[in-house]
Amino acid sequence: MTLAAPPPIPRAAGSLPFLGHAIQLMHDNLGFTTSLRRRYGPLVEITLQPGTRTLVVQEPALIRTMLTDLAPTLDKGRLFDKMGQLLGESVITVAGQDHVRKRRQLQPALGRAEIAGYVDVMRGQATEAVDSWRPGQRLDVRDTMVKLSLDMLTQTIFSGSLDADTFRRLQQNIVVVMDGVGVRLILPDWVERLPLPYNRRFMRARDAVHATVSEAVTGLRATGHDTGDMLSMLLRAKDESTGLPLSDQQICSEILTLAVAGTETTATVFAWTMYELARHPDIEARVLAELHEVLGARPVTFDDIPALPYLNRVVTEILRLHHMGWIVTRRTLTETRLGEWTLPAGTDLAYCQHALHRDPEYYPEPLKFDPDRWLDDRQKPPPGSFLPFGAGKHKCMGDRFAMTELTTGLATILRRVRLELAPGQTVRPVGRATARPGKMMMTVRERGEFAAG
């Protein structure tokens, strides 16, 4: 009996010579990738780099296979090639045994006991941020949350050893670099070699970030002090392949990974949460009631986090509706079977969390902000359809740190102030390296005496 041949993989319309789908992606990458699911089947071919093949995987079962079953046979792909221009060989840019080894080196800094110890720092930074806001002040919420996230990360990574000016420059340069990574992912490689202003800005910002982190590493190594932060833990770590301490370059790569992942993505979730709570005062009231019931007037602690199920559902729904990632990539190293299809070596694979998490087939009323869709007695989406932190052996190892940081920050801020949207204001997502909010201006209102609604 002869097995039927798999259906041909369709090619998305609109590819141009030398540019592929870059024009469409630069114009509206989130809209373009979301439309692919409606127009094509489980796999569709797009062109990011002329001469190579990128298949967008759109079926949850196939995405799960790609991230779990096939993980040992795949390289990280185009997104991580571009991230490597900033991070070097870090835990998120390498694959195979190098990834396993680097993951083990970082794990002690992200263990349960260590994260519990960071909560006081996170809460303190959130309190300082709120103290600096004035009633009636209009905040650019995304920029404000980037600063707060970087404050939190700087304290947990560097124990506050960066002075204010250096800290501010680091914040600005990280934003420039992450924007540049998103653009470089979309545009063909040859564009990077052109003497364009955005290329020069990217290179200057990247070099400045490297210099700042390198100086901090060198300074702490010279003192010999153990400050109890992530940097100190990495200075104590050993390279499994040599038995020697990690080099400054290795430490810089991992610190940059923590700084970039923990700033850009966390800030995006903070900002979208403030936006949705402002638009849904009934949901905000339920969050406040839960905080009042669990915490009373005392500050949030690490042990409180599991006791805040509604706030955790709010964060989970933000991760679905406003996922901070745009696209995740992999690359076949050998001929690979994915579902019905056999793919040659060198095939780039990608999936779009933004489109996946808004698919009406898996999420009824997908654009509705509904934290209660995550109640235990509700229908759960199929495996592979909710991937805020990825899956498989490359799943984000900072997921527990991120959820702790978000819950701590929100529990601290929401009881002190309310951020108010202008009537009729709508904020649209902008896809670069992350699906961040566009311009989001909100007005600070005092919460007054804490009340549960």
Side-chain angles (χ1 to χ4, degrees), residues 269-440:
V269 177
F270 271 138
W272 281 124
T273 303
M274 296 303 174
Y275 175 74
E276 292 295 352
L277 292 182
R279 296 172 70 231
H280 298 88
D282 55 328
I283 294 175
E284 182 185 48
R286 288 181 63 183
V287 171
L288 291 170
E290 180 179 75
L291 292 172
H292 180 63
E293 179 182 352
V294 174
L295 303 178
R298 65 177 175 81
V300 64
T301 69
F302 180 74
D303 291 335
D304 293 320
I305 291 173
L308 298 169
Y310 190 68
L311 179 56
N312 278 282
R313 291 204 301 277
V314 166
V315 174
T316 301
E317 180 69 345
I318 291 292
L319 290 171
R320 181 198 68 82
L321 183 59
H322 299 292
H323 189 276
M324 57 274 190
W326 165 53
I327 198 167
V328 176
T329 61
R330 296 289 187 265
R331 182 180 296 124
T332 61
L333 295 173
T334 61
E335 186 176 85
T336 299
R337 183 80 174 179
L338 180 63
E340 303 176 69
W341 296 271
T342 299
L343 309 177
T347 301
D348 278 331
L349 303 173
Y351 73 95
C352 176
Q353 302 103 315
H354 184 83
L356 181 66
H357 292 173
R358 293 176 172 219
D359 193 320
E361 184 175 343
Y362 315 119
Y363 299 99
E365 297 183 273
L367 300 185
K368 180 182 179 181
F369 180 62
D370 179 16
D372 281 343
R373 74 172 74 237
W374 301 102
L375 284 170
D376 292 341
D377 59 353
R378 295 287 189 95
Q379 182 179 354
K380 291 291 172 54
S385 61
F386 183 61
L387 299 168
F389 298 104
K393 71 173 189 173
H394 292 296
K395 181 182 179 183
C396 174
M397 62 188 302
D399 55 350
R400 184 163 53 183
F401 180 97
M403 291 299 291
T404 300
E405 184 178 24
L406 290 164
T407 306
T408 301
L410 291 169
T412 302
I413 294 169
L414 292 174
R415 294 192 298 162
R416 293 276 306 279
V417 299
R418 184 173 196 272
L419 297 184
E420 184 179 87
L421 280 168
Q425 181 182 357
T426 301
V427 179
R428 305 294 182 189
V430 178
R432 287 294 179 260
T434 61
R436 66 178 60 151
K439 194 72 170 178
M440 184 188 290

Side-chain angles (χ1 to χ4, degrees), residues 240-289:
E240 289 185 3
S241 61
T242 65
L244 299 174
L246 303 183
S247 68
D248 283 3
Q249 183 176 0
Q250 288 174 304
I251 292 173
C252 285
S253 290
E254 304 307 344
I255 289 295
L256 279 170
T257 296
L258 293 168
V260 168
T263 300
E264 179 75 12
T265 56
T266 305
T268 295
V269 177
F270 271 138
W272 281 124
T273 303
M274 296 303 174
Y275 175 74
E276 292 295 352
L277 292 182
R279 296 172 70 231
H280 298 88
D282 55 328
I283 294 175
E284 182 185 48
R286 288 181 63 183
V287 171
L288 291 170

Side-chain angles (χ1 to χ4, degrees), residues 121-137:
V121 173
M122 296 170 179
R123 187 182 62 243
Q125 292 302 313
T127 300
E128 284 188 21
V130 176
D131 287 344
S132 72
W133 303 342
R134 302 182 309 278
Q137 179 182 0

Side-chain angles (χ1 to χ4, degrees), residues 210-230:
H210 283 173
T212 299
V213 176
S214 295
E215 185 176 345
V217 171
T218 302
L220 187 56
R221 193 189 291 277
T223 67
H225 295 158
D226 187 339
T227 55
D229 55 18
M230 295 184 188

